[in-house]
Amino acid sequence: IPETVHADRGTSMTSKKVSQLLIDPGVTRSHSRPRVSNDNPYSESQFKTTKYVADYPERFDSLAHAREWFDAFTAYYNHEHRHSGIGFHTPASVHFGTADEIRYQRAVTLAEAYAQHPERFGRRPRPPEIPQTAWINDPAKRREPARQAS
């Protein structure tokens, strides 16, 4: 049983039945702020990937079917799916510390390809950086409002 479940404020996740289901085993409910679609971009990204994956069922036949499908999807999402926001690595690779070695090997492969056929590239290719921090609203990228002339 998870400690916390985060969701948007959709009717299915705020319904009394779901609320009671989570309260009984002591699961804390976490919801995005009203009318803020990117309040938790990690959850929103995972929700979108879930909904658009090719084998997402039109409906689940039973609770067991839903659990089986989501167990398989979660394993895929964490161990196979390459995420653009983390340099096309898997979350497991970043979490377990193998992303730096994988990035190095990608750099070696790209350098060899460039050395053999530089005409195929506009510039020397490099694998994407792995972010060292994650932000929901990065203060460094926040635009300050224009100041009024006095």
Side-chain angles (χ1 to χ4, degrees):
I1 297 175
E3 291 180 26
T4 303
V5 170
H6 179 81
D8 60 15
R9 292 182 173 273
T11 55
S12 61
M13 291 307 293
T14 56
S15 72
K16 192 170 186 173
K17 284 184 179 182
V18 171
S19 295
Q20 195 61 47
L21 178 72
L22 297 174
I23 289 170
D24 286 346
V27 176
T28 301
R29 294 174 301 141
S30 167
H31 293 286
S32 301
R33 293 172 292 168
R35 295 172 295 285
V36 180
S37 63
N38 65 346
D39 199 23
N40 188 331
Y42 304 109
S43 290
E44 295 300 327
S45 177
Q46 188 265 322
F47 292 154
K48 183 176 180 184
T49 303
T50 302
K51 291 180 199 175
Y52 289 95
V53 72
D55 70 338
Y56 186 76
E58 190 171 311
R59 68 183 304 269
F60 294 103
D61 300 325
S62 64
L63 180 57
H65 177 219
R67 285 180 172 155
E68 179 183 314
W69 189 88
F70 274 99
D71 282 348
F73 173 78
T74 301
Y76 158 78
Y77 189 80
N78 287 325
H79 297 277
E80 297 176 45
H81 181 66
R82 306 294 191 252
H83 297 252
S84 61
I86 52 176
F88 294 100
H89 292 274
T90 66
S93 174
V94 173
H95 178 76
F96 293 114
T98 61
D100 288 329
E101 178 61 28
I102 292 169
R103 185 178 183 279
Y104 172 77
Q105 291 300 324
R106 288 177 182 173
V108 169
T109 300
L110 289 170
E112 289 171 357
Y114 182 78
Q116 291 174 5
H117 298 283
E119 70 280 2
R120 294 182 181 174
F121 301 87
R123 58 187 162 89
R124 185 176 299 274
R126 289 183 173 74
E129 294 290 329
I130 303 166
Q132 299 303 306
T133 57
W135 295 92
I136 290 176
N137 295 303
D138 184 350
K141 294 181 180 176
R142 196 170 62 185
R143 293 175 52 192
E144 295 295 324
R147 293 182 182 218
Q148 298 280 337
S150 13

